[in-house]
Amino acid sequence: MISISILVPLLLPLIGGLIDALTLRKGYILAACTFATALLLSLALFHVASLVPYSYPIAQNVILKIASSTFWLALAVVTLWIGFLIVVYSIGYMWLDYRRGWFWFFVGLMLTCTLLLLFSQDLLTLIIAWDGMELCSYALIGHWYRDEPERHVGEGFTIGGFRHLWSPSSAALRAVVITSIGTACLLVAAALAYARYHTLDFANMGTFNVFTAALVIVAALATCAQLPFTEWLFTAMAGPTPVSALIHSITLVNAGAYLIFKLAAPLHGSHVLTFASLFVLTSVVLMGLTGLASREVKVILAASTCIYVGLLLYDAVLYAMTLSPLCLTCAILILIGHGFSKASLFTSCGYLMHMAGTRFVDDVKVMLRYRQSYLALVLASLNLFGIVIPSAGFLFKELLVDLSSTVQAILILLSTAISIGLLMKLILYFRMLRREATVIEHVEAHELTMEYACLALAVGPYVLFVPYANLLPHLLTVERVLVTYLIFAVALFLSISLFRNRNKIPQGLLYLLKTRFGLAVLFDYCIASAVRAFSRAAQVVSTHVDRALHAGWAYLKAMRGLYSADKVLDKLLHVYLPRAMACASRSLARVHIDKLLNYMIIASIILIVVIVYVTFLL
Amino acid sequence: MFSLWSFILAEPIAAIILIIVIRFTVARLSKEIANILYMILSTISCIFMTWPVVDYLLTSAGHVIQSSLITVPLIGKVSIWINPLSAMYLLATGIVATCVSVYSLPYMLHRLEELNIKDDLSTYYILYVLYILGLVGIAYFTNLIIMFIFLELSIVTSFLLILYYGYGDRLRVALLYFIWSQIGSLTLLCGIILILMSYGSVYVPTFHPAQLPLLAMYLVLIGCLIKMGTFLVHFWLPWAHAEAPSPISAILSPVQIGIMSYVLIEILHTLYRTVLETITVPLLVYGIVTGIYGAVMALSEQDVKRFLAYSSIAHMGALVICVAYPSTLGEIAAAVVFMAHAFAKALLFMCSGYIIYRTGLRNFSALGGLYELMTSSSIMGIIGFVSLSGVFNIGLLSKIYLTLILIAALSSVIHSEATTIALVLLYIAMLCLSVAYCFYAVKRMYFGRPREISVLPYTVYMMEVPMAVLALCTILFLFPNVIMPMIHMVYKWSFLKL
């Protein structure tokens, strides 16, 4: 057995990305590093290698701890293999891009942060990884900083003066601001836990009170893009396709669910969880519905992501409620089933759109040549439909239904049906438009790697479920299979009939869904305007006070009155008084002293006479 | 081995004398060489002023080092000390000052040309060295009266720097700054003198909790808050920081106002340890309100430098939160917030100065798409904003510590659940707003289609390299191996104090 520090697989993607960003910018080194990491982690999973935990004391009872357990290692292995295939795909996708260094660096950092989050043993490490992912998704969504019109996301219709169209940079801004709400909640929750238990270790924390638990749930909802925070995910589509694949399948959106898994013990028994589980499933159904109305390929896929990420989060909440180990298995299966398939869907659709030069589902017209991509699309969709029995998609759906009570089970099945509708929409549109398709003969080698990466991703769920095949006998009953196929048939029928009658759908309903129940308007218009108005008001008040204070300057000038009074007094004291004294002195000096004496004697005699006269004669 | 005094006082003064000598010898022959020599001298003295701290951080294990000079009757002993907490403040100050010293040369030459001054940079660099000396003196000296003298030195020199090289109506702005600063520092002085009269000493290392007049505490608090520019006493701050020349803004904004939190810790966390808890809640509310106010004002600000100044106000709110509750965690939080803010804000002021240098613009509406035009400095700017918003880099660490101290204070002072929840929600709003204004600024400045701006076609490495150093600092200090030893030292020191 080989012993390797856990920091090696952790830092390899980051180093690879950094080297790539600084040198060739083609992505080869990152691909090699990701491959090496994935291999290393797989070896560790099969007990060929062992990962030595890393810990660093930070304060009393606060230790930065990074270690792996089987569950997290399994998740990490799946994550890294998907990540590797996405990196291979991006080599072709980013071949001629204008900001490649940026892209490779942040993809590397994103993978490192994901691993750090998976292996974190304390909240401090988790928060660092979490924020790192937030930063990476910001940087990657806003990758095309020039904001070209063809990179925008949204259909561009206007409702109530608000245009549903976002440039990459504003999409990135929305993502970082909305997820930062979750981060702030998580920070406060961590601080509350620290104030109570004086530790940030997951293992040593006691039970959370309602407020702390609610904050943790809100944090999870924000990154998992559930109501009311879904908006950032839908506009995150403004980034390059590999970025969408990365964010939607393995990284940021899963972070919330991982958080709940990590904090399951402190959350266990909290009343918030029951509410949260129903809330998440409702949000899943509602957000899935919104995708049905969209014309944009990536937005449809985003709606489907909302569904599966919601299911993962629900699974995590379920784990916190029951602490049943089956939930952990289910989480791995969801990551295998959804992660691979969603990455494949994004990459194949992205490839088709890349070739067709459009982002709208009814404009894709280059189908004929790209059979591999289409095949990948169908394979991945079939897995997500959950109808192919030996696949991860079927397993995790049935396992989840098995674990939940009736209401939740119905909601789960409903969301699956909606997901079928979403993916059928893509398949149908792409298929129907085949006849008028343009044929592109010449395909470069790097474009071929893209196609094969899609295909490899699509095959994943059909292969990797094997370690969990022992669950099949338990889940494979006649009524389950019947229900599954019944739902599929109904959903298929509905989607085809909706597709046929797509021009007859009432516009009001369509727009309600297209605006995502007005959430876009709420975030971008109502909240933004409220903040703006508040800001303007503060500025106006502030300016007035500032001006009033500057008027103090004018008052200071008005002090001139005082100044002149001062001057008058000054003159009086220092000019007129001395002058008067001098004058008096001079006139005195002119008078002869003997004459003065005579005058004084005469004057005193007169005075005496007057006094005598007055006292004695009156 | 040289004594601390030679590093901190003798070297800068020698540098100033040398600058004067060069002014009358070399400068007569060649102004260019003289300017470079001034820059080198000033940079060396900045490094010298920081070196004892670096040495201390590398070798010491949490105890204080001290060096006395004389004992003055009435005032007491005049001595220098380095403790783990001041070491963190001084390290950040020193790194920023060194970088800015190099950065100033091209910028100030450009500014002199704009102002049509025919002189060389000797006046600027003499004032600059004195200014940095004043700032480090505040943290180095043990005696509050001497500390006040150094505070005055920093105020006077920065006033002159704004007056000589500022933008806009610089006479008025400089006076405004000077008057407000004097109100603040004189209030502080009154507090210090009251302490001297009632406690009998202003020698910080011997401070311990005592029955002292509350008036002194309020005077010190209000004086420092005016100097920090928190809500309602902030009106001077946007003017002064926006109209100062950019290198001076880079010192004024994070260091000059932030270091007042160290003064607050020195006085309030020692003498008024028990009394401070009674006003913790109002201070916390005040800090959060300041944070929200600064962020909200920054959101709709059009001028880049004023925007950065408002963001400084928001960060002063964070420092008030750190100082509000007397605990070691709070002191650490204050030091980390100060460091994070110092690196990020200095970097951003340097970036805005670089943009002014190369495009002559400082208005958000005129900028946009700068990433295309000046990529390397834009990346540094983005790093700065990321750190400032607290999304990653050292800013994240400061955000974590800030939250920890806020919640620790709330849970030990407030017992009603509803008040805690209300304050926490306000605090969450403050954090989100700070992310929003930072990234909104990034979008407005750097992204989008490049505008029709005339940009100087060459890169000025003398400006970009110091910026890169600061950007690297913001990243480097996130790593636990770099910053945690310092924090451990503060913990150890607090144990030693007890």
Side-chain angles (χ1 to χ4, degrees):
Chain A
M1 206 185 239
I2 327 154
S3 296
I4 303 164
S5 165
I6 200 164
L7 291 180
V8 174
L10 211 61
L11 292 178
L12 260 180
L14 176 61
I15 293 166
L18 194 62
I19 294 174
D20 249 335
L22 296 176
T23 55
L24 280 177
R25 305 185 191 177
K26 286 290 182 205
Y28 300 135
I29 298 163
L30 179 61
C33 285
T34 321
F35 181 76
T37 312
L39 202 64
L40 211 62
L41 292 174
S42 311
L43 288 180
L45 186 65
F46 295 114
H47 303 293
V48 181
S50 74
L51 297 175
V52 181
Y54 172 82
S55 62
Y56 192 92
I58 282 185
Q60 273 177 307
N61 302 321
V62 182
I63 297 171
L64 212 150
K65 246 194 246 169
I66 309 168
S68 60
S69 63
T70 320
F71 170 61
W72 297 108
L73 203 54
L75 288 181
V77 167
V78 178
T79 302
L80 254 284
W81 282 116
I82 297 175
F84 167 65
L85 288 172
I86 292 174
V87 169
V88 169
Y89 173 85
S90 352
I91 292 176
Y93 194 90
M94 286 284 144
W95 198 256
L96 294 172
D97 199 82
Y98 57 78
R99 207 189 192 188
R100 290 189 306 257
W102 177 275
F103 178 84
W104 295 119
F105 173 72
F106 279 108
V107 169
L109 184 59
M110 186 83 149
L111 289 173
T112 293
C113 287
T114 314
L115 280 182
L116 189 63
L117 187 114
L118 287 169
F119 292 151
S120 62
Q121 298 291 310
D122 64 303
L123 265 172
L124 191 63
T125 321
L126 187 135
I127 287 170
I128 291 174
W130 177 288
D131 265 9
M133 279 157 88
E134 194 184 310
L135 170 68
C136 293
S137 45
Y138 166 77
L140 289 172
I141 292 166
H143 174 82
W144 283 318
Y145 65 87
R146 283 181 196 152
D147 287 349
E148 299 95 333
E150 66 270 22
R151 312 285 194 206
H152 282 38
V153 65
E155 291 179 22
F157 55 84
T158 308
I159 284 180
F162 175 68
R163 193 155 182 233
H164 283 64
L165 191 68
W166 292 272
S167 62
S169 59
S170 47
L173 180 66
R174 296 178 97 208
V176 75
V177 172
I178 295 176
T179 47
S180 82
I181 300 173
T183 313
C185 290
L186 177 62
L187 269 173
V188 172
L192 282 169
Y194 181 76
R196 198 136 168 240
Y197 303 112
H198 299 288
T199 177
L200 287 172
D201 250 336
F202 297 127
N204 303 333
M205 262 187 261
T207 324
F208 286 171
N209 60 2
V210 177
F211 184 51
T212 317
L215 284 174
V216 171
I217 298 284
V218 170
L221 288 176
T223 55
C224 283
Q226 297 305 316
L227 278 178
F229 306 109
T230 35
E231 268 307 299
W232 72 266
L233 192 74
F234 284 98
T235 48
M237 296 303 132
T241 306
V243 170
S244 310
L246 205 62
I247 293 176
H248 284 239
S249 61
I250 49 175
T251 56
L252 187 62
V253 286
N254 294 350
Y258 296 158
L259 173 73
I260 307 280
F261 275 117
K262 298 256 180 205
L263 289 175
L267 286 173
H268 183 62
S270 182
H271 301 298
V272 187
L273 291 176
T274 330
F275 174 71
S277 71
L278 273 173
F279 184 80
V280 168
L281 286 177
T282 322
S283 138
V284 159
V285 171
L286 288 178
M287 283 302 117
L289 280 175
T290 61
L292 287 174
S294 180
R295 270 178 67 222
E296 278 175 283
V297 179
K298 285 169 132 192
V299 170
I300 296 171
L301 288 176
S304 141
T305 304
C306 265
I307 292 178
Y308 290 102
V309 170
L311 291 186
L312 183 62
L313 183 58
Y314 167 71
D315 180 47
V317 172
L318 212 59
Y319 178 66
M321 279 156 81
T322 59
L323 293 180
S324 137
L326 269 180
C327 290
L328 298 180
T329 317
C330 188
I332 298 173
L333 280 169
I334 292 180
L335 190 66
I336 296 174
H338 170 243
F340 272 103
S341 297
K342 190 46 59 65
S344 171
L345 281 171
F346 265 110
T347 46
S348 54
C349 288
Y351 182 57
L352 294 173
M353 282 159 19
H354 189 65
M355 286 300 164
T358 176
R359 65 173 192 275
F360 295 110
V361 69
D362 37 10
D363 282 354
V364 180
K365 286 179 185 166
V366 279
M367 210 51 46
L368 218 50
R369 167 63 193 74
Y370 306 105
R371 288 208 189 86
Q372 284 96 329
S373 308
Y374 193 70
L375 184 63
L377 176 69
V378 173
L379 269 180
S381 306
L382 281 179
N383 170 50
L384 284 182
F385 291 165
I387 51 165
V388 185
I389 288 161
S391 76
F394 175 78
L395 273 179
F396 79 69
K397 190 193 72 189
E398 290 306 321
L399 197 56
L400 214 53
V401 170
D402 196 45
L403 287 167
S404 13
S405 55
T406 327
V407 182
Q408 277 102 329
I410 290 171
L411 283 172
I412 291 168
L413 290 177
L414 191 60
S415 64
T416 327
I418 294 168
S419 170
I420 293 173
L422 290 170
L423 298 175
M424 276 315 289
K425 189 172 176 181
L426 288 185
I427 295 176
L428 286 170
Y429 264 107
F430 285 178
R431 199 70 198 155
M432 288 296 157
L433 290 162
R434 210 183 106 183
R435 268 180 219 148
E436 30 187 304
T438 343
V439 181
I440 296 172
E441 287 296 338
H442 181 65
V443 178
E444 303 262 345
H446 64 261
E447 286 170 353
L448 270 182
T449 57
M450 288 162 77
E451 287 200 55
Y452 287 111
C454 305
L455 213 54
L457 280 168
V459 175
Y462 299 99
V463 180
L464 288 176
F465 83 98
V466 178
Y468 303 97
N470 57 346
L471 287 169
L472 264 180
H474 169 62
L475 294 172
L476 205 60
T477 54
V478 179
E479 58 265 31
R480 277 175 191 283
V481 176
L482 265 179
V483 167
T484 304
Y485 279 96
L486 193 68
I487 289 173
F488 177 63
V490 172
L492 197 63
F493 172 72
L494 277 177
S495 8
I496 291 175
S497 54
L498 266 179
F499 180 69
R500 289 249 165 91
N501 304 316
R502 56 185 181 272
N503 298 328
K504 293 177 196 160
I505 303 167
Q507 288 290 310
L509 178 69
L510 214 55
Y511 275 106
L512 180 69
L513 293 180
K514 273 189 177 183
T515 54
R516 300 188 275 276
F517 305 108
L519 271 181
V521 182
L522 176 75
F523 270 94
D524 268 35
Y525 193 71
C526 301
I527 295 182
S529 324
V531 171
R532 208 170 296 143
F534 183 51
S535 169
R536 289 275 148 75
Q539 203 159 36
V540 168
V541 172
S542 213
T543 317
H544 274 289
V545 176
D546 207 15
R547 249 183 232 150
L549 282 176
H550 276 101
W553 191 246
Y555 291 129
L556 221 61
K557 278 182 184 162
M559 291 278 212
R560 271 198 193 143
L562 198 68
Y563 173 72
S564 41
D566 185 274
K567 216 166 184 181
V568 168
L569 200 66
D570 190 22
K571 268 205 166 153
L572 213 65
L573 280 174
H574 299 137
V575 180
Y576 295 122
L577 194 67
R579 207 176 278 171
M581 295 292 276
C583 206
S585 149
R586 237 178 282 133
S587 48
L588 269 179
R590 261 189 246 119
V591 182
H592 288 291
I593 193 82
D594 42 349
K595 267 187 186 170
L596 191 70
L597 273 175
N598 288 342
Y599 288 138
M600 280 175 74
I601 291 165
I602 293 165
S604 32
I605 290 169
I606 292 170
L607 200 68
I608 290 165
V609 169
V610 169
I611 290 169
V612 167
Y613 178 79
V614 169
T615 41
F616 292 97
L617 295 182
L618 288 180
Chain B
M1 194 59 203
F2 296 102
S3 77
L4 275 175
W5 293 94
S6 60
F7 276 102
I8 293 155
L9 272 183
E11 206 286 338
I13 291 167
I16 289 167
I17 293 168
L18 266 178
I19 289 178
I20 295 170
V21 170
I22 292 170
R23 167 83 177 77
F24 290 106
T25 53
V26 182
R28 299 244 164 110
L29 302 171
S30 154
K31 268 188 189 172
E32 285 77 22
I33 296 175
N35 284 335
I36 293 172
L37 286 176
Y38 301 148
M39 187 274 282
I40 292 171
L41 280 171
S42 130
T43 313
I44 289 175
S45 46
C46 287
I47 293 172
F48 265 71
M49 282 185 266
T50 332
W51 183 250
V53 173
V54 179
D55 187 47
Y56 171 78
L57 286 173
L58 290 176
T59 55
S60 136
H63 42 72
V64 173
I65 57 171
Q66 216 178 42
S67 160
S68 334
L69 190 64
I70 43 167
T71 307
V72 181
L74 196 69
I75 295 173
K77 203 154 69 168
V78 177
S79 65
I80 296 178
W81 71 333
I82 306 177
N83 61 53
L85 190 68
S86 73
M88 288 174 84
Y89 275 89
L90 285 168
L91 182 69
T93 309
I95 292 174
V96 169
T98 312
C99 290
V100 170
S101 170
V102 177
Y103 171 94
S104 301
L105 179 60
Y107 189 90
M108 290 317 293
L109 285 175
H110 155 84
R111 184 75 195 126
L112 286 188
E113 212 169 278
E114 262 182 2
L115 287 171
N116 228 347
I117 299 175
K118 292 279 182 289
D119 202 10
D120 58 1
L121 285 177
S122 53
T123 322
Y124 173 79
Y125 273 115
I126 290 172
L127 285 175
Y128 183 78
V129 172
L130 281 174
Y131 182 31
I132 302 301
L133 180 64
L135 286 175
V136 296
I138 296 173
Y140 268 129
F141 278 87
T142 50
N143 194 308
L144 287 181
I145 302 278
I146 306 294
M147 187 214 76
F148 172 79
I149 292 170
F150 277 82
L151 177 66
E152 282 297 307
L153 176 66
S154 74
I155 291 173
V156 171
T157 45
S158 52
F159 160 69
L160 288 177
L161 283 166
I162 297 175
L163 183 65
Y164 290 162
Y165 307 107
Y167 289 90
D169 188 0
R170 56 183 200 269
L171 168 67
R172 190 175 60 92
V173 171
L175 265 178
L176 187 80
Y177 166 70
F178 191 68
I179 291 171
W180 274 97
S181 295
Q182 284 310 313
I183 295 173
S185 64
L186 289 178
T187 318
L188 176 64
L189 181 66
C190 292
I192 292 172
I193 286 173
L194 263 181
I195 289 171
L196 178 64
M197 276 157 39
S198 55
Y199 188 73
S201 153
V202 281
Y203 183 62
V204 179
T206 56
F207 277 180
H208 54 81
Q211 272 315 101
L212 288 175
L214 277 181
L215 180 65
M217 179 181 82
Y218 284 117
L219 283 175
V220 167
L221 187 64
I222 291 168
C224 284
L225 288 181
I226 291 174
K227 281 290 297 141
M228 282 165 83
T230 46
F231 183 51
L232 292 181
V233 283
H234 67 276
F235 291 100
W236 59 277
L237 196 148
W239 286 107
H241 292 195
E243 304 307 337
S246 300
I248 298 308
S249 306
I251 305 280
L252 263 182
S253 194
V255 180
Q256 165 98 60
I257 56 175
I259 208 148
M260 297 318 286
S261 67
Y262 177 74
V263 177
L264 276 179
I265 288 174
E266 261 186 348
I267 300 172
L268 299 191
H269 281 205
T270 51
L271 290 175
Y272 293 96
R273 217 176 166 79
T274 42
V275 189
L276 188 58
E277 281 184 36
T278 55
I279 56 161
T280 294
V281 181
L283 270 183
L284 288 178
V285 175
Y286 184 60
I288 295 175
V289 167
T290 303
I292 291 178
Y293 174 79
V296 161
M297 290 297 287
L299 261 177
S300 57
E301 183 55 59
Q302 282 302 317
D303 184 290
V304 178
K305 288 182 80 178
R306 275 184 84 89
F307 162 85
L308 292 173
Y310 277 119
S311 140
S312 291
I313 295 176
H315 280 261
M316 289 310 110
L319 278 178
V320 170
I321 294 173
C322 298
V323 171
Y325 183 68
S327 67
T328 313
L329 184 63
E331 290 165 13
I332 291 168
V336 175
V337 169
F338 175 82
M339 282 180 106
H341 180 225
F343 292 143
K345 191 53 67 64
L347 173 59
L348 288 173
F349 265 115
M350 283 154 88
C351 279
S352 73
Y354 191 59
I355 292 169
I356 293 172
Y357 183 88
R358 280 186 67 181
T359 65
L361 297 172
R362 51 185 280 184
N363 213 312
F364 277 119
S365 54
L367 295 168
L370 278 183
Y371 192 91
E372 184 84 47
L373 303 170
M374 20 206 286
T375 310
S376 55
S377 75
S378 302
I379 288 177
M380 291 166 212
I382 293 170
I383 292 174
F385 275 116
V386 164
S387 183
L388 192 70
S389 66
V391 166
F392 211 61
N393 299 2
I394 187 177
L396 171 61
L397 207 66
S398 77
K399 201 164 77 171
I400 291 172
Y401 273 103
L402 181 63
T403 318
L404 285 180
I405 181 61
L406 176 80
I407 300 296
L410 284 181
S411 54
S412 61
V413 177
I414 299 183
H415 299 294
S416 106
E417 186 93 330
T419 325
T420 311
I421 292 177
L423 275 181
V424 161
L425 291 181
L426 264 181
Y427 174 71
I428 289 175
M430 171 186 144
L431 288 189
C432 294
L433 279 172
S434 80
V435 173
Y437 78 72
C438 284
F439 286 98
Y440 186 43
V442 171
K443 177 178 149 55
R444 284 193 286 177
M445 271 164 88
Y446 296 123
F447 295 162
R449 228 158 298 150
R451 300 280 172 82
E452 298 285 317
I453 308 172
S454 61
V455 180
L456 286 187
Y458 50 87
T459 315
V460 188
Y461 288 108
M462 207 175 245
M463 293 165 96
E464 284 207 2
V465 170
M467 281 152 66
V469 170
L470 282 184
L472 209 63
C473 279
T474 67
I475 297 169
L476 213 62
F477 278 87
L478 178 66
F479 286 95
N481 312 42
V482 180
I483 194 157
M484 284 308 157
M486 301 185 205
I487 291 173
H488 281 301
M489 275 164 69
V490 181
Y491 269 115
K492 232 175 250 172
W493 179 52
S494 71
F495 279 121
L496 287 178
K497 264 195 297 191
L498 294 173

